[in-house]
Amino acid sequence: GAFSALSLSGRAPRVRPLPTLVGTVILLHGLNMLANPAAYVPASYGGFADQLWLYGPLFVVAGAGLLASESLAARRAALGFAVLAALALEALVVAYLGAGLWTGVALYGLVLLFLAVAVLAAPARAQAPVERYSIEDSVRLAQLNNAQLQSAEQAITIARQRVQEATFLFFPEVGLQASATRYDARYPFALRPDFRSILLFPSVDDNLFSGRAYLSLPLYQGGRHVNTLQMARAAFKQARSKYDAVKMDIAYEVTKAFYRLLKARAEEEAAAQTLRKAESAAQNGKGRWERVEAESLASELRSEVAQARHILESARLEFLKGLNKELDAPVEAAGRIETRAVEVDLKKALVWAAELRPELQSQAYKAQMDAIAVNLALGRRSPTVALGLDYELTGPRLPLKQN
């Protein structure tokens, strides 16, 4: 999602009717010129007949390009094809003016006018509704769109699979193999290791069939399997701790941006309200000096209002960045700033910070993983004891009855 992270819309681009109509007319006219050139070459058209081979393909390319650009909402490409069609239409208007055919001048001039109106007129943009987010909605949306949090969640999934993989080391390994070999040898040789390196000798039987079942269970490996499982579990806890740390950081940053936006909006509204009162006092002052003093104050307040609006816009951009939304998205923070007295026990807060901070827990898990890695290295000095069962049948004919 950035995947970004940017939101994608599945709605098809809006097709404007006027450019589509003009493009269709130009395309059909070009096809008609190519299919029926005799209708466009009377002698009274002057030098137009000598250039007829050029205008037909130009109209076809320009009309098809306008339709395709409009369907794909490619405004710049549509403008380029419109310029191409306008040049051809302008040349035809000049040719008909020279021939004195005012009907052709009017028709092609009307098409040229509609083309200019259709392409140059900017499409009206619908005003998007303002989205209002509470503090809970802001934190939820920020965590949903944050790529770092999604990566940490994937790390938890990988660590969980590694715990399962380490758990499977304590189960016996069971296998079943079967092979069929056809050979012609003058001297003894061995099969590939994939076929268990079976020795083959020259024989009248050129077939060899083999089947095998085996079971292997480690009984003692110096604690390597146990330490591997403990390492995987510690890595899983560390991944969870990192996920919680990223989640708390996102909540903190978005909450800070949310309240900063509320504060900037309240300051801007207060500054604007004070400016209106000062301007009203400057206009309705009784004395001359009172009006001068009010105008001076209003001038200072205008500077403060401009600065407050700049701070408000900066806070809004920071809030949008925390939500991972487009910077021009119409978004507002729902709520207002209120002050309230809160009693905080500093010692208790320090204890909570030391016990509940995921970063400290992550460091503790890292130290635990380092100790387990040392135990793994020391376990390599110990011998390995395993229980193995193997049953195999080999012979030149089926069914196999000998080992």
Side-chain angles (χ1 to χ4, degrees), residues 154-172:
Q154 291 297 322
I156 293 177
T157 303
I158 295 174
R160 183 183 293 111
Q161 294 297 326
R162 288 178 177 172
V163 171
Q164 294 181 0
E165 182 181 355
T167 304
F168 291 152
L169 295 175
F170 295 92
F171 293 93

Side-chain angles (χ1 to χ4, degrees), residues 389-401:
L389 300 177
D390 200 328
Y391 185 78
E392 181 175 354
L393 294 175
T394 303
R397 298 180 184 84
L398 295 176
L400 299 176
K401 296 181 180 180

Side-chain angles (χ1 to χ4, degrees), residues 259 262-263 266 335-342:
Y259 285 114
L262 292 182
K263 176 176 176 292
R336 61 178 182 175
I337 293 292
E338 293 181 355
T339 59
R340 184 176 57 184
V342 178

Side-chain angles (χ1 to χ4, degrees), residues 359-374:
E359 295 87 348
L360 298 179
Q361 297 178 3
S362 178
Q363 293 299 322
Y365 295 140
K366 185 177 182 303
Q368 184 180 356
M369 292 172 62
D370 293 339
I372 296 174
V374 174

